[in-house]
């Protein structure tokens, strides 16, 4: 029956029918809720009543007139620091596991496995690791003779808690970053390395002058994931510390969730989410600017 | 071939991880709900009583078929069958059917209210008291009005619409053997005696009080119950409405929070209060590694479930001062109500009355009887009541106070945490007073 249609029409029908379902899914589960979120941010809806009174920009004004809402971002700094270290280590493992190494697939899978574990399960597991009195970490420190350190309250010390939490993120996401780096390493043509070798370049020079520049786009991608991840941390502190001690590990997203679900203020919470969205875009713009300074056109 | 296999595994792993993540977060939500609201989960079932018939006259003249929407799905086909058998001995012509609720009773009940298809007997969901007459029949003709606890809690304009299914209190749940090992021969009746008992326990290497500080919700007794007991005013939490400074060092809040702070400073709580483990603490209380909880009586069964012999678990009111006269709060669970449009109104009321007076449900569920002054048959509650404790009923939260609290993002247990951890507790109090005053002003109250 399609035989009578012109080639162009057939092409269009196929394109439309293939795209229809993904577009409907995308629209239903991404764009429709996002538009609703923007709408709610202009109301002071309490989350259950049928009326959603329009309040204009009042929610945004309230967020910006409460500076301590933004103070929680300093807790995210730890995740950012750990994220940078995580990327460096991931590049290291990617380079090592991309060379001729016996059993490299086994190592790759081992390093990648933490990523496929459920976030909440990971958090519970580390709850036992970081426990002060019965935790395995303190027990280990004690058994290797560092008994002074073995009394540390990893999740209960104000300056330490965010780094403890971020190190779990490191454990979990390093393998994921590594897999992306390996993929990009495999895309670098072999002949560049051969040419460099003939010209007498050493291992470090090859890494610095060939490997890293060729991976620049992927490093940017991973930094993008790291930065957004750091700004949007939620599950680890939510399960492990509930934001404690006394709010020292509270993150912005936890505040948003509390505002919506504990204090029944969906309007304000929506406004906070939108502000986070712009904040992420802003930070990424700065990152792009800094990384593209050299120009790579 | 090898690469193909590897990428296949990779894809499978990715898909699994995505689906696992999905399951994970929803599980987490459920967990959070069940652990944080034990009291609400340990709830109930309804009953109807005969409104008009005198109990002594027997109930053969009342007939009808009634449905009871219950959240105690675990009791259907078991305890409920036995209740109906006993109920039918008295009221042979009433047929009772049980309908199991979905997980969220409150929401399901509200949907049924909106559609106008209410079961004859049910529990009152979270609706304002002014809406009660729209859905429910007055229960004043049951003749229970003066005997029951919380008669004003679910009333509107002097009419009674809901009767509590059972009440809870909070106090010190303790391991008797741990007390005996530490040489404590009788339960402390004053705050000084309490501290002395803690000191003895500590000297024995037993953690005196398991606060579960990190998890925040277990601090609810310090945040909601003790302040109002110290003030001696049931309505104390609602009085916040009339002040710009609800928290001061010498009112109920400041004093109650200071008690916990004192326990922490003296080392009577867990070694690291920021690293506590709720599930483990139950086992530790059961085994005597920890000695006490300050929680609701619902925790007694959980400690027994964690391995403590029932006769090793005791319960007494917290002596929050040195007066020696114990008081404790009384809080209601779900409230029975009878649908206004029930076709068998009398039968439904007869069932409610029977459930309250004769079913023994409160003992099964571990509650204090809804009837004033009725002694519990449960050993721990009996011990609690034998201290001569005066049980102080709470009042309904003023919606305005809730509104201000939400606006100020005030979460009392979180304030307790800050207060205990802060170097200068006064600064915590000042901070929250400021938030309160601002929210109150913004809302125009």
């Amino acid at each position: 029956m399609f035989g009578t249609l012109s080639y162009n029409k057939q092409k269009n029908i196929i394109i439309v029918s293939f795209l229809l379902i993904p577009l409907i899914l995308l629209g239903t589960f991404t764009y429709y809720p996002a538009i609703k979120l923007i709408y709610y941010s202009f109301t002071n809806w309490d989350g259950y009543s049928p009326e959603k009174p329009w309040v204009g920009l009042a929610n945004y004004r309230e967020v910006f007139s409460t500076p301590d809402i933004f103070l929680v971002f300093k807790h995210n700094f730890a995740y950012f620091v750990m994220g940078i270290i995580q990327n460096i280590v991931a590049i290291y493992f990617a380079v090592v596991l991309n060379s001729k190494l016996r059993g490299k697939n086994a190592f790759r899978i081992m390093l990648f496995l933490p990523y496929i574990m459920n976030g909440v399960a990971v958090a519970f597991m580390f709850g036992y690791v970081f426990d002060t009195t019965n935790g395995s970490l303190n027990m280990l420190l004690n058994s290797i003779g560092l008994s002074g350190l073995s009394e540390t309250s990893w999740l209960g010390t104000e300056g330490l808690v965010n780094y403890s939490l971020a190190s779990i993120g490191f454990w979990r996401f390093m393998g994921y970053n590594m897999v992306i780096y390996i993929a990009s390493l495999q895309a670098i043509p072999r002949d560049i390395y051969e040419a460099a070798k003939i010209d007498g370049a050493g291992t470090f020079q090859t890494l610095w002058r060939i490997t890293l520049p060729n991976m620049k786009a992927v490093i940017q991608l991973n930094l993008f994931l790291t930065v957004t991840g750091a700004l949007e941390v939620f599950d680890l502190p939510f399960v492990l510390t509930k934001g404690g001690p006394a709010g020292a590990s509270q993150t912005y997203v936890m505040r948003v969730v509390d505002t919506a679900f504990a204090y029944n203020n969906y309007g304000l919470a929506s406004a906070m989410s939108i502000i986070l969205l712009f904040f992420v875009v802003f930070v990424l713009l700065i990152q792009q600017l800094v990384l593209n300074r050299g120009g790579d056109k | 071939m090898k690469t193909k296999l590897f990428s296949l595994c990779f894809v499978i792993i990715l898909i699994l991880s995505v689906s696992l993540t999905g399951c994970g977060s929803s599980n987490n939500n459920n967990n959070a709900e069940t652990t944080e609201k034990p009291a609400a989960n340990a709830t109930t079932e309804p009953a109807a009583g005969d409104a008009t018939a005198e109990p002594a006259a027997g109930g053969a003249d009342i007939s009808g078929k009634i449905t009871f929407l219950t959240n105690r799905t675990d009791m259907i086909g078991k305890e409920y069958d036995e209740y109906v058998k006993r109920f039918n001995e008295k009221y042979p012509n009433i047929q009772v059917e049980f309908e199991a609720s979905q997980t969220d009773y409150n929401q399901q009940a509200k949907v049924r209210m909106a559609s106008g298809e209410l079961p004859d007997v049910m529990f009152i969901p979270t609706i304002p008291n002014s809406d009660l007459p729209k859905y429910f029949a007055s229960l004043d003709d049951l003749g229970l009005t003066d005997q029951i606890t919380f008669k004003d809690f679910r009333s509107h304009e002097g009419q009674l619409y809901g009767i509590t299914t059972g009440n809870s209190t909070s106090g010190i749940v303790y391991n008797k053997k741990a007390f005996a090992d530490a040489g404590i021969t009788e339960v402390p009746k004053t705050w000084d005696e309490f501290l002395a008992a803690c000191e003895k326990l500590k000297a024995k290497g037993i953690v005196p009080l398991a606060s579960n500080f990190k998890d925040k919700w277990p601090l609810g007794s310090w945040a909601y119950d003790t302040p109002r007991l110290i003030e001696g005013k049931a309505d104390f939490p609602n009085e916040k409405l009339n002040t710009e400074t609800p928290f001061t060092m010498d009112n109920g809040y400041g004093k109650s929070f200071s008690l916990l702070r004192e326990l922490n400073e003296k080392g009577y709580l867990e070694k690291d209060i920021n690293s506590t483990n709720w599930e483990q603490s139950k086992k530790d209380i059961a085994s005597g590694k920890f000695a006490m909880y300050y929680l609701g009586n619902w925790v007694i069964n959980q400690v027994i479930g964690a391995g403590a012999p029932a006769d090793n678990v005791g319960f007494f009111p917290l002596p929050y001062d040195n007066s020696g006269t114990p008081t404790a709060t009384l809080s209601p669970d779900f409230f029975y109500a009878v649908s206004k449009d029930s076709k068998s109104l009398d039968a439904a009321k007869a069932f409610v009355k029977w459930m309250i007076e004769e079913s023994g449900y409160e003992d099964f569920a571990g509650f204090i009887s809804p009837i004033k002054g009725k002694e519990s048959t449960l050993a721990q509650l009996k011990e609690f009541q034998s201290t001569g404790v005066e049980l102080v009923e709470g009042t309904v939260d003023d919606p305005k106070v809730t509104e201000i609290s939400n606006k100020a993002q005030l979460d009392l247990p979180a304030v307790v945490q800050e207060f205990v951890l802060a170097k200068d507790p006064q600064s915590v109090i000042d901070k929250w007073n400021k938030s309160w005053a601002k929210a109150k002003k913004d809302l125009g109250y």
Side-chain angles (χ1 to χ4, degrees), chain B residues 145-151 369-375 393:
Chain B
T145 313
D146 295 327
Q147 301 170 37
I148 53 163
T149 50
F150 293 102
K151 70 181 167 72
S369 169
I371 307 277
K372 264 186 211 164
K374 186 172 169 186
E375 200 168 275
E393 290 180 22

Side-chain angles (χ1 to χ4, degrees), chain B residues 116-135:
Chain B
E117 289 172 22
L118 285 182
D120 303 287
V121 179
M122 63 182 293
F123 306 125
I124 303 180
T126 52
I127 55 168
N129 282 358
S130 52
D131 282 348
L132 292 173
K134 282 191 220 161
Y135 303 101

Side-chain angles (χ1 to χ4, degrees), chain B residues 85-344:
Chain B
K85 220 170 106 199
R86 281 196 283 136
F87 178 66
N88 281 346
E89 283 168 13
K90 198 165 167 189
Y91 300 97
N93 298 323
I94 300 179
Q95 197 186 338
V96 186
E97 274 183 9
F98 297 96
E99 188 185 337
S101 79
Q102 289 150 9
T103 337
D104 191 338
Y105 190 94
N106 200 28
Q107 196 151 8
Q108 192 187 7
K110 279 187 183 171
V111 171
R112 304 250 320 231
M113 281 162 78
S115 67
E117 289 172 22
L118 285 182
D120 303 287
V121 179
M122 63 182 293
F123 306 125
I124 303 180
T126 52
I127 55 168
N129 282 358
S130 52
D131 282 348
L132 292 173
K134 282 191 220 161
Y135 303 101
F136 301 114
S138 162
L139 298 175
D140 279 315
D141 48 4
L142 286 186
L144 288 173
T145 313
D146 295 327
Q147 301 170 37
I148 53 163
T149 50
F150 293 102
K151 70 181 167 72
D152 298 322
F153 214 82
R154 280 304 195 180
S155 294
H156 185 62
E157 293 180 342
Q159 297 266 46
L160 175 74
Y161 292 97
I163 301 179
T164 170
T165 55
N167 301 319
S168 311
T169 183
S170 58
I172 300 285
V173 176
Y174 70 105
N175 183 315
K176 288 185 175 172
K177 191 163 170 297
F179 265 44
D181 286 350
I184 304 162
T185 44
E186 55 182 299
V187 298
K189 290 195 184 54
T190 64
W191 181 246
D192 289 341
E193 284 175 36
F194 185 77
L195 291 178
C198 287
E199 187 58 47
K200 281 184 192 164
L201 287 162
K202 194 184 167 196
K204 264 272 166 192
I206 299 167
V207 174
L209 183 81
S211 63
N212 285 297
F213 189 87
K214 184 202 88 178
D215 285 324
K216 191 166 82 180
W217 65 264
L219 304 175
S221 310
W222 300 100
Y224 301 111
D225 296 340
T226 316
R228 116 172 122 88
L229 290 174
I230 290 177
E231 287 286 326
K233 279 182 276 192
D235 209 30
F236 176 63
N238 286 339
E239 286 177 5
K240 290 206 286 283
L241 187 59
N242 307 318
T243 168
E244 306 277 299
T245 53
F247 305 103
T248 62
M249 281 310 250
D250 51 9
N251 77 357
Y253 287 116
K255 279 184 190 161
S256 168
F257 301 172
S258 299
L259 295 180
L260 184 64
R261 193 181 156 93
E262 184 180 0
L263 291 178
N264 183 44
E265 278 168 352
K266 294 197 163 144
Y268 296 157
L269 305 182
E270 293 97 328
K271 197 166 152 201
D272 179 1
I273 53 173
N274 288 311
S275 172
T276 56
N277 182 332
W278 164 245
E279 288 302 325
Q280 183 62 35
S281 78
K282 286 193 277 187
K283 290 178 203 147
D284 288 342
I285 293 262
S287 71
K289 241 176 103 182
F290 292 173
M292 298 182 275
Y293 271 141
Y294 180 37
L295 289 171
N297 53 296
W298 52 266
V299 82
I300 294 171
N301 280 337
Q302 298 213 12
V303 172
I304 294 171
D311 56 9
N312 192 27
V313 183
F315 190 41
F316 65 88
L318 173 80
Y320 50 83
D321 59 18
N322 285 324
S323 66
T325 48
T327 58
T329 52
L330 197 63
S331 318
D333 203 82
F334 271 142
F335 280 77
Y336 292 122
V338 171
S339 163
K340 172 170 76 96
D341 302 320
S342 166
K343 288 194 186 70
S344 320

